[in-house]
């Protein structure tokens, strides 16, 4: 026990206060023991606390502010009369060494190597905080009376600008000096909020019971109201409504459609037949024009060879076709054939429209 520390009250017989000075001198040990093993090199081992958050360069892990290390403290320079100390410590998560030193000019610590600082600093001017007086400005205020007078005038102007806000802050703080009034206002607010929450809980319970849900309901937001206003609910159409809509579509559909659209549409056969009938009607109109036209024209009889027609009374001799009939006889036969075909086409058309309208009705679900 006597060899470990010099704080005991035992003094050996050969102890000489003049020669040894103290028990540590008698035992030839330093008072700091192992922490002073490198004191001959100007290095003292101390307990160092991390001043801010950093990232270790060795293991890339985060080291929080306040983590403590056994660091080697060494004096590396001075700032005016203030010494600058450097601290070297080993990361507790890897073998990397971190070195930091004091910065008396900014009252901060600088990282020399081994780590990177997590940037959490801000500008005091941007945050409207009170700025510290610079050293040069402070010296000038102490030595130059004119500069001090000018500086005091600027300070008074700043005070006039900040006086309304300061008075508002004081009035706001004065309202909170009475503990009883503050407690009463808080309890009144809590009761109001509790009542509102209870009413909302009753409404939620009613909705859950009506919809048979067992999940908690979130409070209604403005976006939910807008979305609900955009939704529209409509009952499905009945059989009679669908039948009426389909008949309306059929009646409004064009009869004389092109061959491509009629072949692709549900009524493609009816469309093609209507197209043929329209062409036959055009041929009948041409035959009628041929009968009344004074100029020679060439027409084609359906299923027969071409016939050349001339006005009557112009030539005494009538030309004959390949079957041995005269031109007048051919005209009369063509008109009869076209009339018969047109009558058959109109009959087929009426029956087709009746059948088509009945066959396209919806049989119902």
């Amino acid at each position: 026990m006597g060899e470990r520390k010099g704080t005991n009250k035992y003094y050996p017989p050969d102890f000489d206060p003049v020669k040894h000075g103290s028990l540590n001198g008698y035992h030839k040990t330093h008072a700091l023991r192992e922490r002073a093993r490198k004191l001959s090199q100007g290095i003292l081992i101390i307990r160092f606390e991390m001043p801010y958050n950093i990232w270790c360069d060795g293991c890339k892990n985060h080291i929080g502010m306040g983590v403590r290390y056994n660091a080697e403290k060494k004096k590396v320079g001075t700032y005016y009369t203030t010494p600058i100390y450097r601290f070297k410590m080993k990361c507790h998560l890897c073998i990397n060494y971190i070195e930091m030193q004091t910065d008396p000019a900014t009252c901060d610590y600088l990282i020399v190597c081994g780590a990177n600082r997590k940037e959490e600093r801000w500008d005091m001017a941007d945050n409207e905080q009170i700025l510290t007086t610079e050293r040069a400005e402070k010296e000038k205020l102490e030595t130059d009376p004119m500069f001090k007078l000018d500086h005091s005038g600027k300070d008074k102007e700043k005070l006039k600008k900040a006086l309304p806000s300061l008075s508002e802050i004081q009035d706001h703080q004065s309202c909170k000096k009475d503990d009883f009034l503050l407690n009463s206002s808080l309890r009144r607010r809590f009761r109001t909020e509790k009542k509102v929450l209870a009413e909302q809980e009753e409404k939620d319970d009613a909705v859950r019971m009506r919809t048979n849900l067992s999940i908690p309901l979130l409070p209604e937001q403005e976006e939910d109201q807008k979305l609900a206003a955009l939704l529209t609910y409509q009952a499905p159409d009945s059989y009679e409504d669908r039948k009426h809509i389909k008949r309306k579509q059929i009646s409004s559909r064009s009869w004389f459609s092109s061959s491509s659209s009629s072949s692709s549409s549900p009524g493609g056969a009816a469309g093609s037949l209507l197209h043929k009938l329209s062409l036959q009607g055009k041929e009948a109109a041409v035959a009628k024009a041929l009968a009344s036209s004074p100029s020679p024209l060439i027409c084609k009889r359906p299923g027969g060879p071409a016939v050349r027609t001339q006005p009557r009374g112009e030539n005494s001799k009538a030309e004959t076709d390949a079957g041995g009939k005269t031109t007048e006889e051919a005209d009369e036969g063509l008109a009869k054939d076209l009339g018969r075909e047109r009558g058959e086409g109109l009959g087929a058309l009426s029956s087709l429209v009746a059948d088509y309208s009945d066959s396209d009705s919806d049989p119902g679900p």
Side-chain angles (χ1 to χ4, degrees):
M1 187 67 178
E3 297 179 359
R4 175 63 180 169
K5 294 182 180 180
T7 56
N8 54 16
K9 298 180 180 180
Y10 175 77
Y11 291 89
D14 55 345
F15 173 75
D16 187 1
V18 178
K19 179 181 178 181
H20 301 107
S22 64
L23 289 177
N24 291 325
Y26 174 79
H27 294 291
K28 297 180 180 182
T29 58
H30 195 274
L32 300 177
R33 298 295 185 268
E34 293 297 327
R35 293 169 55 190
R37 63 179 182 271
K38 295 183 179 180
L39 199 60
S40 59
Q41 305 174 16
I43 298 174
L44 178 65
I45 299 176
I46 64 167
R47 195 69 173 167
F48 181 80
E49 186 173 326
M50 196 63 64
Y52 42 75
N53 297 320
I54 64 171
W55 301 94
C56 178
D57 287 345
C59 57
K60 307 300 180 182
N61 286 319
H62 174 263
I63 299 176
M65 179 176 60
V67 180
R68 297 180 179 181
Y69 294 94
N70 292 330
E72 297 179 358
K73 177 183 175 182
K74 182 179 180 180
K75 183 179 178 180
V76 294
T78 57
Y79 175 75
Y80 294 100
T81 58
T82 305
I84 299 175
Y85 296 102
R86 181 172 295 179
F87 307 94
K88 182 179 180 181
M89 64 209 85
K90 181 179 174 296
C91 177
H92 67 288
L93 300 172
C94 61
I95 60 174
N96 180 51
Y97 279 89
I98 302 171
E99 293 187 12
M100 304 180 68
Q101 71 180 26
T102 58
D103 185 13
T106 58
C107 299
D108 201 357
Y109 287 87
L110 299 177
I111 298 176
V112 179
C113 63
N116 289 319
R117 181 172 183 171
K118 184 180 180 181
E119 195 59 46
E120 296 176 337
R121 292 172 287 187
W122 64 86
D123 190 3
M124 298 178 66
D126 294 342
N127 293 323
E128 299 180 357
Q129 294 181 347
I130 300 175
L131 302 177
T132 58
T133 306
E134 298 291 338
R135 183 183 180 88
E137 186 178 356
K138 188 182 294 185
E139 291 178 355
K140 200 170 183 180
L141 285 172
E142 294 174 355
T143 57
D144 192 350
M146 296 301 296
F147 182 78
K148 183 178 180 180
L149 182 62
D150 187 19
H151 195 274
S152 62
K154 293 180 180 179
D155 290 343
K156 289 179 181 179
E157 292 179 0
K158 291 180 181 179
L159 179 61
K160 289 181 180 179
K161 293 180 180 179
L163 192 59
S165 59
L166 291 175
S167 60
E168 185 180 351
I169 293 173
Q170 289 176 357
D171 295 340
H172 183 69
Q173 290 179 348
S174 63
C175 299
K176 298 184 178 180
K177 289 183 179 180
D178 193 349
D179 295 338
F180 177 77
L181 293 178
L182 184 62
N183 189 16
S184 300
S185 62
L186 288 175
R187 290 173 64 85
R188 191 180 306 110
R189 178 182 174 185
F190 291 156
R191 283 195 296 269
T192 305
E193 292 180 355
K194 187 176 180 180
K195 185 177 180 180
V196 172
L197 292 176
E199 292 177 356
Q200 186 64 33
E201 186 66 23
E202 291 180 0
K203 293 180 181 178
D204 293 345
D205 292 341
V207 172
R208 281 195 290 264
M209 291 181 64
R210 186 172 65 253
T211 57
N212 196 17
L213 294 176
S214 60
I215 59 176
L217 301 180
L218 296 177
E220 186 177 1
Q221 302 293 334
E222 184 178 359
E223 292 80 3
D224 300 336
Q225 296 178 358
K226 292 181 179 179
L227 183 60
L230 295 175
L231 295 177
T232 56
Y233 299 97
Q234 184 178 4
D237 298 333
S238 62
Y239 168 71
E240 296 296 336
D241 295 338
R242 283 181 288 164
K243 185 176 180 181
H244 177 70
I245 293 172
K246 198 158 190 179
R247 288 182 178 277
K248 189 175 180 180
Q249 291 177 355
I250 293 172
S251 61
S252 62
R253 188 180 301 163
S254 177
W255 289 6
F256 303 101
S257 58
S258 60
S259 58
S260 58
S261 61
S262 62
S263 60
S264 59
S265 61
S272 61
L273 181 56
L274 292 173
H275 183 65
K276 292 179 180 180
L277 294 176
S278 64
L279 294 179
Q280 291 177 3
K282 290 179 181 179
E283 291 179 357
V286 171
K288 187 176 181 181
L290 289 175
S292 62
S293 176
S295 61
L297 297 174
I298 297 177
C299 65
K300 184 177 182 181
R301 184 194 304 172
V307 177
R308 184 174 183 273
T309 62
Q310 288 183 352
R312 295 177 184 151
E314 194 170 304
N315 291 329
S316 60
K317 185 179 179 181
E319 296 180 2
T320 58
D321 59 357
K325 296 180 181 180
T326 64
T327 312
E328 296 176 356
E329 294 176 354
D331 293 341
E332 293 176 358
L334 176 60
K336 292 180 180 180
D337 294 339
L338 290 176
R340 185 173 58 258
E341 291 177 359
R342 184 178 182 183
E344 293 174 358
L346 291 176
L349 174 61
S350 59
S351 61
L352 173 64
V353 171
D355 296 340
Y356 177 66
S357 60
D358 292 337
S359 61
D360 259 2
S361 59
D362 195 352

